[in-house]
Amino acid sequence: MSKGSTSKALKDANRPKLWTTIAANVAVLYAFSQYEAVSAAGLKGVVAGATSLVPLSLALILTTVANGLLSDDIKTRLVFLRWKHALPGHRAFSVFAVSDPRIDLDGLKKLLGKDWPTDPVAENRMWYRLFKDSENDPAVLYSHGEYLFTRDYTGFAAMCLIGLGAAAAFMIEPPTVLMAYLGCLLLQFLVVRHTAATYGERFVCTVLARKAARPLKQPASTTRRDPKPGKAT
């Protein structure tokens, strides 16, 4: 796999999981919207209320489209709750490199030497250089994939809070049930956002840990001296 295609391949691999979260959100909204129907007519009320799937589907489509319009930068800001220098790479060396016990800080400083970054922009650029050199490492690939999925899920959860929350105001009664549903949407966003931030930080640290350990390894091969004439090898 070429380095340029790694991110796209990970996003494609995450697509089924994202569609699963979309389907789950549809199911939850439909279940809450049928509260009164079930209370009045039992399970028959669920079948009778199937016509509500039309506006529900429309709300879902609009929410999904809106999520697609969110740029990676906006999703990153949502995850880390920062407007400037939101990427975890902006704090790779000043925060994560000194706090993660997996990272050999001395080895990392020896590797970078005078190129050790001292400001957020330089930190992110240097971290990205290290990442591009190790992005196909299995541990890095795994961390990268988990971060991309939870970051995109965070964007979708934010759009659900707005889009499906607005639709729920017209579809769900009584108000106590509506508030319970809105609480579920908010909880989903908060949990997924925190998870994405955790995976993002772990992703950054994994790259640094792998690169810091590399100088400590023995060379893959050493120069072999030719045997002296007349001696068996």
Side-chain angles (χ1 to χ4, degrees):
M1 181 185 296
S2 65
K3 291 184 178 181
S5 64
T6 302
S7 293
K8 183 180 183 301
L10 290 174
K11 289 181 179 180
D12 289 342
N14 284 333
R15 202 175 302 276
K17 291 190 288 186
L18 285 173
W19 281 107
T20 300
T21 65
I22 291 173
N25 274 273
V26 172
V28 171
L29 176 55
Y30 180 69
F32 272 91
S33 69
Q34 298 308 300
Y35 174 82
E36 284 197 322
V38 173
S39 298
L43 293 178
K44 292 182 179 179
V46 176
V47 178
T51 53
S52 64
L53 287 173
V54 176
L56 187 154
S57 299
L58 179 60
L60 177 66
I61 291 172
L62 293 175
T63 299
T64 305
V65 171
N67 181 52
L69 296 176
L70 291 180
S71 67
D72 290 347
D73 287 340
I74 292 177
K75 292 175 183 177
T76 301
R77 287 167 179 158
L78 285 171
V79 169
F80 295 100
L81 301 179
R82 291 169 175 262
W83 184 259
K84 188 177 182 181
H85 300 148
L87 289 168
H90 286 124
R91 298 170 295 285
F93 299 89
S94 59
V95 176
F96 303 131
V98 299
S99 62
D100 193 313
R102 298 178 301 164
I103 298 173
D104 179 0
L105 191 59
D106 291 335
L108 193 60
K109 288 182 176 180
K110 183 178 179 180
L111 174 67
L112 299 182
K114 63 179 181 180
D115 293 327
W116 184 266
T118 57
D119 65 82
V121 174
E123 286 188 55
N124 188 59
R125 288 175 178 171
M126 177 55 70
W127 177 84
Y128 188 73
R129 285 175 56 188
L130 299 179
F131 161 64
K132 294 304 289 183
D133 189 49
S134 60
E135 65 177 329
N136 289 322
D137 181 290
V140 174
L141 269 176
Y142 176 79
S143 295
H144 191 189
E146 293 300 297
Y147 169 61
L148 288 179
F149 167 65
T150 50
R151 184 201 65 183
D152 290 348
Y153 189 1
T154 299
F156 177 72
M159 290 298 97
C160 282
L161 187 58
I162 298 171
L164 297 187
F170 297 96
M171 297 173 57
I172 298 178
E173 292 182 352
T176 52
V177 178
L178 172 62
M179 294 305 296
Y181 174 69
L182 294 178
C184 288
L185 289 180
L186 178 60
L187 181 63
Q188 173 182 235
F189 171 74
L190 294 176
V191 170
V192 175
R193 186 216 65 79
H194 178 75
T195 303
T198 300
Y199 276 126
E201 294 170 5
R202 189 177 302 169
F203 171 39
V204 167
C205 289
T206 298
V207 171
L208 296 180
R210 304 293 279 187
K211 295 300 295 184
R214 186 170 297 179
L216 302 180
K217 295 180 180 179
Q218 294 297 323
S221 62
T222 57
T223 303
R224 182 180 178 184
R225 295 180 180 180
D226 293 329
K228 293 182 179 180
K231 287 191 175 183
T233 59

